[in-house]
């Protein structure tokens, strides 16, 4: 995928993002930001290089300085087509020339810069050699909330991605489960997500029976049986923005214990959602969900954080976890996904993407959170 991730964003949108990023970096005491190919570059410029390459591509942002994208000459035509290109200066370089010398001229020789987490060590080491007085910190460490607060257009895209994932669940609950391999149901999920507009599918977890006790189980050859609890967790990118939802279904009638565990998780998910409001700490969401599960006697079986941020990637800051005191802000989007995992037996997880509103929270997934019976 090259060019813009979504037609709704204009050069002015990308200009505003780059200006805000540069300003935020300055407020954090940084001389600027160096953004390599990846989700930050897409979010800031609308540009994705056409292929993974060892050639240097780097966006240089600094307060009071026009944004500059250093790009290989052979890829400059693609970069010029990006929606954000009119808001920046392209500086291309040809094979045989030194791209680091060209980049060094844009940098404060003694500055400290935030650099993309996924920047190649090859490029970082070469920049350090070209600008020996400079220093660097990871972008996520320096500005973890850079992409966290979504604007109205982004929220609309997040909402439609969530609706596409919901439509996928409404169809998958009607396919046969018993007698089929997990991988077959996972393939159905992939096909449905793409049918409903996802250009990228990041995961299709189908964890049946005892496999459900592994939160990140990869769908395999296990044949799903009647009497199995099955955790479904799936998502990806639609128009450049993420979906991620989990529902747990049961093949045939569940036991009383299975219903009790599912009800506990459903109540915990509701408690986590109700804790969402502006000014609350991220850890408050985790605490609310975790308290319900602990009070029911399953505390030791809730073995992961309650949620993660989502946007142009399916996992990003902020995180709903004990110790994260960062306050919730309207426009933040994240998952609320408590679970109970009983080793060797079964697991249950229920997950919605939630956005913070002016007076609380809004779910971006609206399918039933009751235990669904499948065949």
């Amino acid at each position: 995928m090259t060019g813009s991730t979504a037609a709704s964003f204009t050069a002015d949108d990308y200009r505003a993002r780059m200006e805000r990023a540069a300003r935020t970096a300055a407020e954090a005491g940084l001389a600027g930001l160096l953004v390599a190919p990846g989700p930050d570059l897409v979010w800031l410029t609308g540009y994705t290089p056409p292929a993974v390459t060892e050639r240097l591509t780097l966006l240089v942002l600094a307060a009071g300085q026009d944004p500059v994208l250093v790009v290989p000459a052979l890829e400059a035509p693609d970069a010029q087509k990006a929606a954000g290109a009119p808001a920046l200066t392209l500086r291309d370089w040809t094979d045989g020339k030194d791209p680091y010398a060209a980049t060094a001229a844009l940098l404060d020789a003694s500055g400290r810069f935030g650099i993309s987490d996924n920047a190649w060590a090859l490029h970082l080491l070469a920049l350090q050699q070209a600008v020996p007085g400079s220093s660097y910190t990871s972008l996520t460490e320096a500005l973890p909330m850079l992409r966290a607060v979504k604007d109205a257009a982004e929220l609309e895209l997040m909402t439609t991605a969530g609706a596409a994932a919901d439509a996928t669940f409404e169809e998958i609950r009607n396919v046969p489960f018993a007698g089929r391999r997990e991988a077959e149901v996972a393939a159905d999920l992939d096909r449905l997500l793409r049918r409903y507009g996802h250009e990228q599918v990041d995961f299709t977890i189908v964890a049946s029976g005892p496999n459900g006790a592994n939160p990140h189980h990869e769908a395999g050859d296990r044949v799903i049986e009647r009497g199995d609890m099955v955790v479904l967790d799936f998502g990806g990118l639609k128009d450049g923005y993420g979906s991620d939802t989990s529902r747990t279904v049961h093949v045939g009638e569940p036991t009383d214990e299975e219903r009790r565990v599912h009800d506990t998780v459903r109540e915990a998910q509701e408690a986590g959602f109700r804790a969402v409001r502006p000014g609350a700490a991220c850890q408050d969401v985790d605490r609310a969900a975790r308290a319900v599960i602990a009070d029911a006697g399953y505390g030791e079986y809730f073995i992961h954080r309650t949620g993660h941020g989502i946007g142009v990637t399916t996992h990003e800051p902020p995180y709903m976890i004990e110790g994260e005191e960062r306050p919730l802000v309207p426009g933040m989007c994240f998952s609320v996904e408590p679970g109970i995992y009983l080793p060797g037996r079964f697991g249950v997880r229920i997950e919605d993407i939630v956005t913070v509103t002016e007076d609380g929270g809004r779910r971006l997934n609206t399918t039933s959170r009751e235990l669904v019976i499948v065949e």
Side-chain angles (χ1 to χ4, degrees):
M1 177 180 62
T2 60
S4 175
T5 56
S8 56
F9 299 126
T10 67
D12 286 340
D13 293 322
Y14 291 112
R15 180 179 291 107
R17 290 178 186 179
M18 288 188 282
E19 289 176 351
R20 176 159 64 90
R23 183 173 61 252
T24 305
E27 291 169 353
L30 298 175
L33 302 178
L34 306 179
V35 185
D40 291 315
L41 184 65
V42 174
W43 184 77
L44 288 163
T45 69
Y47 174 58
T48 302
V52 175
T53 175
E54 76 283 359
R55 294 181 174 94
L56 179 72
T57 296
L58 200 67
L59 176 67
V60 180
L61 297 178
Q65 178 178 307
D66 290 339
V68 177
L69 181 63
V70 178
V71 63
L74 76 168
E75 294 173 6
D78 287 316
Q80 290 169 344
K81 296 175 185 176
L88 51 78
T89 298
L90 287 178
R91 181 167 297 184
D92 63 10
W93 61 276
T94 57
D95 287 354
K97 302 294 184 181
D98 183 357
Y100 307 107
T103 305
L106 304 171
L107 306 183
D108 179 340
S110 60
R112 182 167 179 78
F113 296 88
I115 189 167
S116 299
D117 298 14
N118 56 336
W120 285 27
L122 170 73
H123 299 320
L124 176 56
L125 292 171
L127 283 173
Q128 289 177 318
Q129 186 173 5
V131 192
S134 61
S135 60
Y136 303 87
T137 184
S138 76
L139 198 53
T140 294
E141 181 72 21
L143 301 178
M145 295 294 104
L146 181 62
R147 305 192 315 257
V149 178
K150 277 63 177 177
D151 62 24
E154 290 181 294
L155 287 173
E156 182 177 351
L157 290 170
M158 292 289 300
T159 300
T160 59
D166 283 356
T168 294
F169 176 70
E170 293 295 357
E171 288 212 30
I172 202 70
R173 62 185 290 179
N174 293 316
V175 308
F177 277 73
R180 301 178 70 208
R181 291 181 173 86
E182 292 173 339
E184 294 178 275
V185 178
D188 287 341
L189 284 169
D190 186 293
R191 174 179 53 80
L192 289 168
L193 285 168
R194 295 182 190 279
R195 179 195 294 175
Y196 287 108
H198 283 64
E199 70 272 8
Q200 176 177 316
V201 176
D202 288 345
F203 45 87
T204 52
I205 293 173
V206 179
S208 63
N211 289 341
N214 176 2
H216 283 172
H217 171 73
E218 293 191 10
D221 290 334
R222 184 182 186 276
V223 175
I224 301 170
E225 302 173 354
R226 290 194 65 80
D228 279 349
M229 194 81 90
V230 185
V231 178
L232 305 174
D233 185 346
F234 50 94
L237 299 182
K238 181 182 185 300
D239 295 325
Y241 280 77
S243 70
D244 185 2
T245 187
S246 300
R247 293 292 185 265
T248 302
V249 301
H250 197 276
V251 186
E253 284 300 316
T255 65
D256 289 345
E257 181 191 20
E258 288 170 331
R259 283 193 179 279
R260 183 168 62 252
V261 170
H262 190 278
D263 286 346
T264 299
V265 174
R266 180 174 51 79
E267 291 166 9
Q269 207 271 347
E270 177 68 19
F273 169 69
R274 291 190 178 279
V276 175
R277 62 184 183 281
C282 291
Q283 68 180 5
D284 292 343
V285 178
D286 182 83
R287 287 175 174 178
R290 200 167 298 276
V292 172
I293 292 175
D295 288 349
Y298 294 102
E300 65 183 295
Y301 302 111
F302 181 10
I303 56 177
H304 56 72
R305 64 197 176 200
T306 293
H308 58 82
I310 186 171
V312 294
T313 59
T314 48
H315 288 76
E316 61 187 41
Y319 299 104
M320 307 301 113
I321 190 170
E322 181 65 31
E324 178 53 86
E325 298 180 351
R326 194 180 309 277
L328 300 180
V329 176
M332 283 183 174
C333 296
F334 48 85
S335 65
V336 179
E337 51 176 307
I340 292 174
Y341 308 93
L342 303 178
R345 302 183 62 207
F346 65 90
V348 174
R349 181 164 64 258
I350 301 172
E351 173 185 17
D352 294 326
I353 300 303
V354 173
T355 185
V356 185
T357 65
E358 294 297 330
D359 58 1
R362 174 170 66 91
R363 285 186 167 101
L364 303 187
N365 297 106
T366 58
T367 56
S368 173
R369 285 168 289 279
E370 301 292 333
L371 182 57
V372 171
I373 308 302
V374 297
E375 294 301 324

